[in-house]
Amino acid sequence: MPRRTSLFWAALVFTGCAPKQPPLPSVILPGLDRRVEAVQNSTATASAPPTPALSPVPLSTTQPRPDWVDLPPPQGPPAPIPVTLVPTPEGRFAVLSERFYFELPRGWKPPVTAPGGATLIDGEGRAGATVAFHQEGSADWSPADEVRRRLRSQGSVEDPPDLETVTLSGRFAIRRRWTTHRYKGKLLGTKEEVLYSETLLVPDPEGIYLISFRAAKAEFKARRAGFSELLKSLRFPAAHGALWQPDVKSRRLALPAAD
């Protein structure tokens, strides 16, 4: 058994003893709508950001002190929780959970937690990916047929509605790519941003895997190299039941998901 595979399954046994984490609010590829800075990863739980100091407020000596002066400033959204990375024998870093393993693409920023998994962006904050597993019956789970229907409904008029069959880590998966037109500016339509998205659906006897990638459409092909690297390293544990099988023609024509 290769050394990396041994590391993967040994760590799976260890992580199986860890207490279950409560579900997090649903997010999709944070950091793509605005630029974000790299997150420092650590093996300890991320601490809350320090509370900023109150700025002095000039008050008249003849007026009563307002009640709000001593109140702490309102708290913003919670800071992203870093995902613990494990070193690989090849000197890389990887994300390891009970449900999947993947290596951090070269030059990408450290991942943070997302519902069911982890999300990460490239070094320039111009593309991002999410890897997640949703247990059947959980808040973020939907039947595979329903996910297929939603994937077909995504996109613009220039996008064909077809779903592709691909292979990923020894399993068959469904892939869809689509275009999103987004307009910014003080006046509606003053600035257009065209994004291109890719989502992979991997049905599992106990739930569904969803692996997503998004970038500006003009940069999609170039920036997808890091996502392709992630897909090539992605590994799943043995399934507890029969795996989904497409029809014979789709199996014969299926391409690797990394392509």
Side-chain angles (χ1 to χ4, degrees), residues 134 136-154 161 163 174 176 178 199-203 207-210 244:
H134 301 303
E136 182 175 353
S138 66
D140 295 292
W141 172 82
S142 294
D145 288 343
E146 172 64 17
V147 177
R148 290 189 190 97
R149 185 192 67 78
R150 292 205 302 261
L151 288 176
R152 286 193 182 96
S153 69
Q154 299 294 326
L163 301 177
I174 294 296
R176 175 79 202 286
W178 69 90
T199 291
L200 297 160
L201 163 67
V202 188
I208 56 172
Y209 288 94
L210 289 176
W244 171 72

Side-chain angles (χ1 to χ4, degrees), residues 47-168:
S47 58
T51 301
L54 285 172
S55 300
V57 179
L59 296 173
S60 170
T61 57
T62 61
Q63 294 178 343
R65 185 179 179 85
D67 294 335
W68 53 262
V69 170
D70 292 327
L71 293 178
Q75 295 295 318
I81 301 175
V83 173
T84 300
L85 299 177
V86 296
T88 71
E90 294 80 14
R92 304 286 297 278
F93 287 96
V95 174
L96 176 65
S97 76
E98 295 180 6
R99 290 294 183 175
F100 55 78
Y101 164 98
F102 68 84
E103 294 178 1
L104 187 66
R106 292 174 178 85
W108 282 46
K109 297 182 180 182
V112 297
T113 57
T119 188
L120 62 164
I121 61 176
D122 68 1
E124 298 178 7
R126 299 283 296 170
T130 294
V131 179
F133 175 81
H134 301 303
Q135 186 82 26
E136 182 175 353
S138 66
D140 295 292
W141 172 82
S142 294
D145 288 343
E146 172 64 17
V147 177
R148 290 189 190 97
R149 185 192 67 78
R150 292 205 302 261
L151 288 176
R152 286 193 182 96
S153 69
Q154 299 294 326
S156 303
V157 293
E158 68 263 37
D159 300 315
D162 302 332
L163 301 177
E164 300 176 89
T165 301
V166 295
T167 58
L168 179 61

Side-chain angles (χ1 to χ4, degrees), residues 194-196 215-222:
V194 184
L195 302 175
Y196 204 54
K217 191 167 187 177
E219 304 173 2
F220 182 87
K221 184 176 181 181

Side-chain angles (χ1 to χ4, degrees), residues 9 98-99 135 171 204-207 237-243:
W9 295 117
E98 295 180 6
R99 290 294 183 175
Q135 186 82 26
R171 302 191 186 193
D204 184 85
E206 298 179 90
H240 298 294
L243 291 171

